[in-house]
Amino acid sequence: MEIYDAVVIGAGQAGLSASYHLKRRGISHVVLDADAAPGGAWQHRWDSLTMHDVHGIAALPDSRPPGTPDGRANTVVPAYFGDYERTHDLPVLRPVRVDRVVEAGDLLVVRAGERSWTTRTVVNATGTWTQPHLPFYPGGADFGGEQLHTVSYPGPEHFRGRRVVVVGGGASAVQLLGEIAPVAAATLWVTRREPVWRTDEFNPDRGREAVALVEERVRRGLPPASVVSVTGLALREQEAAASLLGAYERHPMFTGIEPDGVRLPPSAGAGPGELWPADTILWATGFRPAIGHLAPLHLRSEHGGIRLDGTTAVTDPRVQLVGYGPSASTIGANRAGRVAARGVAAWLGEHGAEDVA
Ligand SMILES: Cc1cc2nc3c(=O)[nH]c(=O)nc-3n(C[C@H](O)[C@H](O)[C@H](O)COP(=O)(O)OP(=O)(O)OC[C@H]3O[C@@H](n4cnc5c(N)ncnc54)[C@H](O)[C@@H]3O)c2cc1C
């Protein structure tokens, strides 16, 4: 039976960065990826998302940044990742969807159906795309129109002439409203909290402060917040037309969903709120970490998140989490991959594995 020093689960930005740094350190490993092709979650992003729309994709370690500004993100980034895997000869196996990681004495066994890999350490890099978050609202099951999540956004044409409710206070809601409002019959933007608009220039210091806030959450074992929730939102030139149409006038969450639309909260002193008739509810309500396969290791704290020291799981230092919480961005994922490889090397060094740099 082969025993790996590390198994990386997931071959998005975080998994590829980790694999690159493990390889540089001479640490034997394999990368298991659920997708049939390179590209991580980028290959599943909607067609209208161009490289001009994304907020900037950091170059993977020891490579140049991807692609032209006009290309589609769901083809440019996967091509870049594919090249990267080949150039650096990274040991990626696909498609392999890991369903659980279990303990076997000092070792860990990573299982995917009937197949398994035995390893001393695991670097989890499974992202969030496979865990869209759909909050529960009363009446949702009786809605006569259609309900979609960002994960299956079909592009703006689909919404032509429709009355669309967009739910969520993050960057995706802002971006999708920018595309939909100019073609829809009407849009209604609802969020639980008043959105925080960024008024000053976003700069590296603001970015670092935002990441530090999310880092503090995972140090305490809280579920990670999205980095955008602490950096604030900004409108770009792509959103100008929607802005002129009033699409970014935010409304508080509806009180319930009815067959023909959503019931708005009552205005102060008035009776029940009015019904906003809707054809579509688009849930831009984000994602959760895809970590169900780690459940047998009982890593979650009493607060519901996984407590991390850097990228190392505090309750089981054999496990590293990258692309999780503060490292859930391309630049964060790059850095986390390097830190995780160092964490793996430290564990192997302390536990008697030989030939580890
Ligand atoms: C719409 C959108 C736009 C964004 N735009 C930007 C941006 O402009 N700039 C930026 O820096 N960040 C952006 N982000 C965030 C960024 O995409 C991610 O944080 C970053 O790509 C990190 O990727 P990752 O490797 O953690 O995850 P992913 O790219 O999701 O990769 C995870 C990989 O794990 C695999 N996997 C999942 N579960 C399993 C399993 N059980 N077994 C085996 N494999 C598994 C998947 O197949 C996938 O290949 C955006 C996010 C979204 C949702």
Side-chain angles (χ1 to χ4, degrees), residues 171 195-198 202 206 210 227-234:
V196 180
W197 293 100
R198 212 160 60 218
F202 187 71
R206 288 286 308 276
V227 173
V228 169
S229 71
V230 287
T231 55
L233 300 166

Side-chain angles (χ1 to χ4, degrees), residues 123-279:
V123 180
N124 194 77
T126 45
T128 58
W129 188 255
T130 54
Q131 291 296 312
H133 173 57
L134 269 171
F136 173 80
Y137 273 90
D142 303 324
F143 182 57
E146 102 187 306
Q147 299 191 59
L148 298 170
H149 185 276
T150 319
V151 79
S152 49
Y153 174 65
E157 268 313 304
H158 178 82
F159 300 90
R160 186 169 290 281
R162 298 194 188 191
R163 296 176 61 91
V164 186
V165 181
V166 177
V167 187
S172 297
V174 168
Q175 202 164 330
L176 300 186
L177 271 166
E179 294 192 2
I180 295 169
V183 297
T187 57
L188 176 78
W189 185 30
V190 297
T191 71
R192 272 189 309 154
R193 280 183 289 275
E194 192 69 52
V196 180
W197 293 100
R198 212 160 60 218
T199 45
D200 55 341
E201 197 50 36
F202 187 71
N203 58 40
D205 284 343
R206 288 286 308 276
R208 272 191 286 274
E209 282 167 27
V211 167
L213 283 172
V214 185
E215 253 164 15
E216 177 53 23
R217 286 184 66 86
V218 297
R219 238 194 315 273
R220 290 161 53 204
L222 291 160
S226 89
V227 173
V228 169
S229 71
V230 287
T231 55
L233 300 166
L235 290 181
R236 301 166 306 162
E237 52 167 323
Q238 294 95 313
E239 281 94 46
S243 181
L244 286 173
L245 291 165
Y248 297 109
E249 186 191 328
R250 171 265 177 183
H251 296 262
M253 252 341 267
F254 42 73
T255 53
I257 304 174
E258 300 184 14
D260 296 328
V262 296
R263 180 69 58 184
L264 300 177
S267 351
E274 66 180 274
L275 182 79
W276 200 87
D279 304 305

Side-chain angles (χ1 to χ4, degrees), residues 10 12-14 33-35 40-42 45 54-56 96 98 125-127 328-330:
Q13 185 105 11
D33 189 48
D35 273 295
W42 289 102
R45 303 253 153 93
V54 301
H55 301 284
V96 179
V98 171
T126 45
S329 70
T330 57

Side-chain angles (χ1 to χ4, degrees), residues 249-309:
E249 186 191 328
R250 171 265 177 183
H251 296 262
M253 252 341 267
F254 42 73
T255 53
I257 304 174
E258 300 184 14
D260 296 328
V262 296
R263 180 69 58 184
L264 300 177
S267 351
E274 66 180 274
L275 182 79
W276 200 87
D279 304 305
T280 303
I281 303 174
L282 176 58
W283 297 92
T285 40
F287 297 83
R288 297 287 181 265
I291 49 176
H293 52 283
L294 300 178
L297 301 179
H298 305 292
L299 302 176
R300 279 190 198 270
S301 80
E302 67 281 17
H303 304 300
I306 298 181
R307 190 173 276 129
L308 295 186
D309 176 9

